[in-house]
Amino acid sequence: EVQLVQSGAEVKKPGESLKISCKGSGYSFTSYWIGWVRQMPGKGLEWMGIIYPGDSDTRYSPSFQGQVTISADKSISTAYLQWSSLKASDTAMYYCARLGGGNSGWFDPWGQGTLVTVSS
Amino acid sequence: SYVLTQPPSVSVAPGKTARITCGGYNIGSKTVHWYQQRPGQAPVLVIFYDSDRPSGIPERFSGSNSGNTATLTISRVEAGDEADYYCQVWDSSNDHNYVFGTGTKVTVL
């Protein structure tokens, strides 16, 4: 079974750094792009960026370029999303998802989500 | 940037048909995918490549795409279909830019 398992909920203060993870299993982790999606409280889905773990090729949404860093460690089948200095506005649920079907493809499956709360 | 517009809400009685639209400029030239997100859960793919269903998704879910509108149709609606639904495309005019629709809340009366 293809599965993505994300790290647990985080509570941080503004200005702190954070790295959350997404571990893939049940498939060749290096052969599929992994995307990250933000969902702010009560809002819709926003695509943040995508990484190809095979060679770490990474693309960012213009809205998130420079705000976050996406990386991957193929030796442990894990992708990461990190912030160097969190803001209250980063409070959201973050999902990782595997991209299927090539460039014009779909996200499936999704991780269970990581809730990030940033509050002083 | 490319924008996908969905109605904020759709209400439907059990056993009836729900149609959720996704509007975008010349969306018929793109491939559209649809996701269901039940409260407190992660999104689940229900339609890919405009009209294909992943294994495990009931035949009651179908999709179409033409012109400036893509449509997700849910036939014989059940209480368990109450959820938020999002369309998604890849905008080839922006390298690897994936776009989600604004989302539609389906309420089963």
Side-chain angles (χ1 to χ4, degrees):
Chain A
E1 178 196 8
V2 176
Q3 202 171 9
L4 297 173
V5 177
Q6 299 184 228
S7 49
E10 302 275 2
V11 179
K12 292 289 190 178
K13 291 181 167 46
E16 292 186 332
S17 63
L18 175 64
K19 191 174 190 177
I20 62 175
S21 66
C22 168
K23 183 174 177 60
S25 61
Y27 73 101
S28 175
F29 186 74
T30 55
S31 300
Y32 290 83
W33 292 81
I34 292 282
W36 286 94
V37 175
R38 182 176 78 174
Q39 188 168 39
M40 299 179 76
K43 302 298 184 183
L45 305 174
E46 300 174 89
W47 175 69
M48 302 176 71
I50 199 161
I51 187 167
Y52 189 74
D55 60 7
S56 290
D57 186 10
T58 308
R59 317 291 172 89
Y60 293 92
S61 161
S63 299
F64 292 92
Q65 179 83 47
Q67 307 305 307
V68 296
T69 301
I70 294 171
S71 60
D73 184 341
K74 60 185 179 182
S75 70
I76 55 172
S77 300
T78 300
Y80 301 97
L81 177 65
Q82 68 180 89
W83 296 260
S84 59
S85 181
L86 287 160
K87 302 184 283 287
S89 58
D90 293 317
T91 294
M93 182 71 82
Y94 294 88
Y95 295 101
C96 64
R98 190 184 78 165
L99 183 70
N103 284 345
S104 62
W106 57 86
F107 293 102
D108 179 65
W110 294 60
Q112 83 276 21
T114 296
L115 180 62
V116 174
T117 303
V118 184
S119 174
S120 55
Chain B
S1 60
Y2 195 73
V3 176
L4 295 174
T5 302
Q6 300 180 234
S9 62
V10 167
S11 297
V12 58
K16 299 300 186 182
T17 298
R19 292 181 179 85
I20 304 159
T21 58
C22 174
Y25 176 75
N26 200 24
I27 194 174
S29 67
K30 303 181 185 298
T31 51
V32 181
H33 318 296
W34 291 90
Y35 304 88
Q36 175 193 68
Q37 186 179 31
R38 293 189 173 107
Q41 297 186 19
V44 172
L45 180 73
V46 294
I47 292 289
F48 64 102
Y49 278 157
D50 295 340
S51 58
D52 290 344
R53 276 178 293 102
S55 60
I57 300 301
E59 291 183 10
R60 302 184 297 103
F61 288 82
S62 62
S64 63
N65 183 21
S66 179
N68 293 316
T69 305
T71 303
L72 173 69
T73 301
I74 312 173
S75 304
R76 301 180 300 282
V77 165
E78 303 174 356
D81 298 331
E82 187 161 289
D84 294 324
Y85 291 83
Y86 296 91
C87 55
Q88 176 248 311
V89 301
W90 177 56
D91 181 17
S92 57
S93 65
N94 290 289
D95 190 35
H96 268 82
N97 199 14
Y98 295 86
V99 181
F100 287 98
T102 50
T104 298
K105 168 69 175 176
V106 170
T107 299
V108 181
L109 301 171

